[in-house]
Amino acid sequence: MEPETIRLDGTVQSVIFRNDDNGYCVLRLKTEDGSFFATGFLPGIAPGELLDVTGKWVTHPSYGQQFSIDAARRSLPTDVYGIYDYLAGGAVGGVGPKTAGLIVEAFGERSIEVLSSHPDELAKIKGISARKAKEIAASFAQRAGLRQLMEYLASMGVDAYCAVKLYGEYGADARSALEENPYILADERFGGDFFQADGLARQLGFDGASPARLEAAVLFEMRHNLNNGHVFLPRGKLAAAVSRLIETEEGEAAAAISRLDDAGRIVCESVAGEEACYLPELYAAEVNVAERLRAMAGSRPSPVKDVTRIIERIQRSQNITYAPEQRRAVELAAENSIVVLTGGPGTGKTTCVLGILALFDSMGLETLLAAPTGRAAKRMSELTGRDAFTVHRLLGASRAPEGDGTVFSKNEEDPLRCGALVLDESSMADIVLTSALLDALPPNARLVLVGDADQLPSVGPGNVFADVIRSGAVPVVRLDRIFRQSENSGIVRSAHAINSGQMPEMKAGGDFFVLRRRGGEDIAQTVVELVAERLPANMGIKPDEIQVLSPTRVRAAGTADLNAALQEELNPSGEDTKEYVFGSAVFRVGDRVMQTRNNYEIAWFRYKTDPDTGERRMDEAGIGIFNGDVGYIQDIDKRAGLLQISFDGRVCAYSFELLRDLELAYAVTVHKSQGSEYRAVILSALRAAPALMTSSVLYTAVTRARELAIIVGDPEDIRAMVENDRRQKRYSGLNARL
């Protein structure tokens, strides 16, 4: 049952944690009935402030009741003790306990009035110069303005965290700017969305057909469709979608599109037989990728002497004889600036990559290895015996100064130091990441794109790997022969059967099984038994070596319910369990978790234990945890408001407000598993939306398994996936531009 919303009055006793970037805080609130922990978005909150809050009680198993604040009305203290606590607590820049004491001693209950209306009087206090008085007054005014803006937004039903960014952009004019055009709130820089902005506009009396509303709706639709992988939207489809969204005429939506195009806020161009509408950053990325790939494909590097002799030497050193298509891959890498290598499991991609690396070594080229995700980079490193990096780390990714975009320190002005780069799992690289990578390649550097074109495309916009292959603009080697050492693998045979539209065998070998179950509850129960009991007991596979996958998040055997069931079975609550309740989620020490969006500001540290002394020392440090990274919770410190999480040895401190970007990862969607490989995979194959019940989803799931793949579900549902070879259409102009 949903907790009851109630109202409380109290005084801020202490601030335990505060994030000044978004206003999230953990505080101790004192009321007539006692004091307790409270959490919420209260920018600039300080001890001594008076709060009138509405929210809900949440009962924590270890720490008792805590209050989650939904909305708050704030006022400054009026008695000298409260005023002193407020000023001494750091609410005003330049004022610490000593200066706070001087101000309260001089002005008593008038202190707040002096700060707001007569700040020049501060200079009359011995020890406060005229310059310092101005600085104190300016800081107080800024805090007051931010507080007033937050209260205004809260009264209009808008999330308070938007206030910090709005005030940072507009200062004291933020409210006026909002009232002039409430749709600025939907700009990605400020963290609001179209529906919040639209609600505010209606309260302010804006016309439903106002140009600002129409243009904001167009931009919302375009950004929303990034989640569907589209690089552009056809003009007609965009106008129709906007018309449905805000119930207006398509002609008015089309006119808004034209205005945005004229203003340079979107780009409209005829491409791939469509009147395409792009967000500027995606247009720039697509054009850049096409131009750079065409240039690389058209260039001819200096010929490599004695390629045949070099390849023979590589074969002897690696004790292997290449198949014709493998030999061709190495030859093309010697002859071209760019080569694409694609193939399914067991077709020898790793052998080709090792050969190409040996070739580049013989040419004296410094070669970098990269992959879109941390797990893919780690696997690449294990297979090659060389260091491999995520593309984000290689390029020095960080958050853009404005909005939630990404900037890279490596680019044309400061390129990577290499003569060649090999990118594994290339199908996962979207158009923006590919553009950044190509920008950072030095002139004349070689590029090898490796991947499986039959896997799911990137989560982000575009279908770059498949478009490049389909274009015929660059040399491509397709590996389709299953080598002898893989012929007995049920995983490999089943993957290729699925890819060719055939039903896999129910028991294709010792490493592939289909368990017949009908209904979500039966499937979920079997999955939990396999992870918690049967595989550990019968096959010696530990639960942390098993990854449960599902096509969908929802339904009884989707990742949401499976995560709850697996957590309860593998990591249940107990008297000594450290855990934290965040919304509807419970996080416990020992839980496997996944980051769900890029965060460029989280610092991480890698530690190394001295084998002689046993001393633990920091070995490496860095910044950034990215979408799809998986880790384990090592500790929870409720009073400090922090979780300690290890992501493959990178240890991070997560403040509680960052938990919105974290979810349990005992079970993950197939899309989230891309680029990863696990000792064992269990797929919950319950019927879901047709777009998720496809052969590419099934193929991707099976090929994530290294030693064991088990599909649990109704054979008819599995057959429906095999026979559904439709791929969701993604609007992209890259193939046409190439």
Side-chain angles (χ1 to χ4, degrees):
M1 187 171 65
E2 184 71 19
E4 180 186 1
T5 297
I6 61 173
R7 176 183 169 187
L8 295 172
D9 293 317
T11 303
V12 178
Q13 195 171 16
S14 61
V15 178
I16 298 161
F17 170 81
R18 180 174 64 207
N19 185 325
D20 289 330
D21 288 336
N22 61 15
Y24 179 85
C25 68
V26 179
L27 55 85
R28 195 158 189 86
L29 189 65
K30 184 178 181 180
T31 69
E32 292 180 353
D33 298 323
S35 61
F36 49 83
F37 287 111
T39 62
F41 289 92
L42 299 168
I45 194 70
E49 283 196 52
L50 308 178
L51 294 182
D52 176 358
V53 298
T54 56
K56 303 177 183 68
W57 287 107
V58 179
T59 302
H60 191 282
S62 301
Y63 302 104
Q65 285 188 315
Q66 56 188 7
F67 194 76
S68 177
I69 299 171
D70 295 328
R73 297 186 67 86
R74 301 164 58 177
S75 56
L76 295 180
T78 55
D79 64 276
V80 291
Y81 298 105
I83 293 171
Y84 173 80
D85 287 342
Y86 176 74
L87 297 178
V92 180
V95 178
K98 182 179 178 180
T99 304
L102 293 174
I103 293 173
V104 172
E105 184 180 356
F107 302 111
E109 294 180 353
R110 289 188 59 240
S111 297
I112 298 298
E113 178 194 350
V114 169
L115 285 166
S116 60
S117 304
H118 311 288
D120 52 306
E121 292 187 27
L122 293 172
K124 297 176 182 178
I125 299 174
K126 185 178 180 180
I128 299 181
S129 64
R131 179 178 178 181
K132 185 174 182 179
K134 287 183 180 180
E135 292 173 353
I136 292 172
S139 175
F140 181 83
Q142 182 183 24
R143 288 292 180 117
L146 178 58
R147 187 173 62 252
Q148 290 165 7
L149 178 62
M150 191 198 77
E151 291 173 353
Y152 170 71
L153 290 177
S155 71
M156 303 297 275
V158 178
D159 290 340
Y161 63 75
C162 299
V164 178
K165 295 181 178 180
L166 283 164
Y167 196 86
E169 176 77 14
Y170 295 103
D173 296 326
R175 177 169 174 173
S176 298
L178 269 176
E179 290 177 342
E180 181 178 340
N181 179 11
Y183 292 99
I184 62 173
L185 188 67
D187 191 297
E188 59 182 355
R189 292 174 298 165
F190 303 129
D193 63 32
F194 173 77
F195 300 106
Q196 287 182 327
D198 204 35
L200 177 59
R202 285 198 300 271
Q203 292 182 73
L204 294 172
F206 269 66
D207 185 351
S210 70
R213 182 175 192 243
L214 288 160
E215 291 164 17
V218 170
L219 293 171
F220 168 78
E221 279 291 346
M222 295 183 73
R223 293 194 188 102
H224 174 74
N225 273 281
L226 297 180
N227 298 325
N228 295 324
H230 300 308
V231 182
F232 70 78
L233 288 178
R235 191 184 190 107
K237 289 183 179 294
L238 176 58
V242 171
S243 172
R244 290 192 298 271
L245 177 71
I246 59 174
E247 298 180 345
T248 189
E249 296 294 329
E250 284 193 32
E252 293 179 331
I257 293 170
S258 296
R259 290 196 300 273
L260 288 168
D261 183 26
D262 291 341
R265 298 177 67 190
I266 65 173
V267 178
C268 297
E269 182 177 283
S270 180
V271 65
E274 300 279 4
E275 284 298 314
C277 299
Y278 292 85
L279 291 170
E281 61 271 23
L282 294 187
Y283 176 80
E286 184 176 275
V287 170
N288 184 54
V289 169
E291 290 178 351
R292 289 187 177 275
L293 290 181
R294 282 203 312 269
M296 292 184 76
S299 68
R300 284 291 175 264
S302 301
V304 180
K305 297 180 180 179
D306 299 324
V307 172
T308 300
R309 182 176 56 81
I310 292 172
I311 292 177
E312 294 299 329
R313 188 175 69 243
I314 293 171
Q315 289 183 114
R316 287 195 300 273
S317 67
Q318 297 183 353
N319 193 27
I320 192 171
T321 300
Y322 292 137
E325 63 271 23
Q326 292 177 315
R327 186 183 186 99
R328 183 59 180 154
V330 181
E331 290 172 344
L332 286 174
E335 299 166 359
N336 296 274
S337 296
I338 179 170
V339 174
V340 172
L341 178 64
T342 183
T347 58
K349 290 198 300 293
T350 300
T351 299
C352 289
V353 169
L354 291 173
I356 290 170
L357 290 175
L359 168 74
F360 288 164
D361 287 346
S362 72
M363 296 167 59
L365 298 179
E366 182 179 350
T367 306
L368 292 174
L369 306 182
T373 67
R375 283 184 170 254
K378 183 179 180 181
R379 184 162 59 94
M380 191 182 193
S381 183
E382 292 169 349
L383 292 172
T384 62
R386 305 181 184 214
D387 289 337
F389 306 90
T390 64
V391 178
H392 283 88
R393 185 178 175 192
L394 194 68
L395 300 184
S398 61
R399 189 177 69 177
E402 296 181 351
D404 292 326
T406 307
V407 294
F408 301 95
S409 62
K410 292 296 180 182
N411 48 42
E412 282 182 290
E413 286 71 37
D414 183 18
L416 297 166
R417 295 182 59 183
C418 66
L421 187 143
V422 179
L423 179 68
D424 198 14
E425 297 289 353
S426 295
S427 62
M428 296 183 65
D430 64 28
I431 193 71
V432 175
L433 193 63
T434 304
S435 178
L437 184 64
L438 293 173
D439 276 343
L441 275 182
N444 304 319
R446 297 170 187 247
L447 177 65
V448 180
L449 300 176
V450 184
D452 186 344
D454 294 312
Q455 285 188 32
L456 293 167
S458 58
V459 175
N463 198 4
V464 177
F465 192 60
D467 282 349
V468 170
I469 292 172
R470 192 164 57 249
S471 73
V474 303
V476 176
V477 176
R478 296 177 183 271
L479 303 176
D480 51 19
R481 170 187 166 188
I482 302 176
F483 286 90
R484 186 179 298 108
Q485 59 268 34
S486 299
E487 287 177 346
N488 293 326
S489 167
I491 293 172
V492 172
R493 295 205 313 275
S494 297
H496 285 273
I498 293 165
N499 207 24
S500 60
Q502 299 174 19
M503 188 73 171
E505 302 171 35
M506 296 296 285
K507 185 177 180 181
D511 61 356
F512 181 89
F513 302 90
V514 176
L515 300 183
R516 300 172 182 266
R517 298 292 186 274
R518 288 182 170 84
E521 291 184 4
D522 286 346
I523 291 174
Q525 181 179 346
T526 300
V527 168
V528 173
E529 289 174 357
L530 286 167
V531 176
E533 300 170 15
R534 293 166 62 178
L535 295 189
N538 300 329
M539 303 189 71
I541 301 177
K542 301 175 184 176
D544 61 5
E545 297 174 313
I546 304 167
Q547 184 60 63
V548 174
L549 303 178
S550 173
T552 180
R553 294 178 58 87
V554 299
R555 307 190 69 181
T559 60
D561 284 358
L562 284 170
N563 269 316
L566 287 164
Q567 182 192 46
E568 195 58 35
E569 186 68 29
L570 299 173
N571 193 23
S573 182
E575 286 186 12
D576 299 326
T577 302
K578 288 186 176 182
E579 62 182 28
Y580 181 73
V581 178
F582 185 82
S584 60
V586 179
F587 294 99
R588 297 178 183 140
V589 170
D591 277 340
R592 185 193 303 176
V593 292
M594 175 180 281
Q595 177 76 7
T596 60
R597 65 189 291 271
N598 293 340
N599 189 317
Y600 305 103
E601 297 170 352
I602 297 179
W604 55 261
F605 304 92
R606 198 185 300 277
Y607 296 92
K608 193 173 185 179
T609 301
D610 189 304
D612 297 323
T613 65
E615 184 181 355
R616 189 166 177 258
R617 299 176 181 174
M618 189 180 73
D619 183 54
E620 187 183 2
I623 296 177
I625 298 295
F626 301 106
N627 185 8
D629 284 352
V630 174
Y632 288 85
I633 299 175
Q634 294 183 324
D635 192 21
I636 298 176
D637 187 336
K638 177 68 180 294
R639 293 191 177 277
L642 296 173
L643 285 83
Q644 181 175 290
I645 305 175
S646 176
F647 292 91
D648 285 327
R650 295 170 297 155
V651 179
C652 315
Y654 267 61
S655 60
F656 286 166
E657 56 95 13
L658 292 178
L659 293 180
R660 68 180 185 275
D661 300 330
L662 210 64
E663 61 184 26
L664 293 175
Y666 297 101
V668 301
T669 62
V670 177
H671 284 79
K672 285 288 189 180
S673 74
Q674 288 174 263
S676 298
E677 185 179 75
Y678 313 97
R679 184 178 178 190
V681 163
I682 301 171
L683 175 66
S684 166
L686 181 68
R687 185 175 292 272
L692 299 174
M693 298 294 288
T694 66
S695 59
S696 58
V697 169
L698 185 59
Y699 174 83
T700 299
V702 170
T703 55
R704 299 308 89 206
R706 186 171 67 249
E707 295 182 20
L708 178 67
I710 300 175
I711 302 177
V712 183
D714 188 331
E716 290 307 309
D717 290 341
I718 298 169
R719 184 180 300 281
M721 295 182 79
V722 171
E723 294 176 351
N724 181 8
D725 63 352
R726 293 176 301 168
R727 292 179 181 263
Q728 182 183 5
K729 180 178 176 59
R730 291 191 167 195
Y731 291 110
S732 163
L734 181 60
N735 179 31
R737 294 183 193 279
L738 287 171

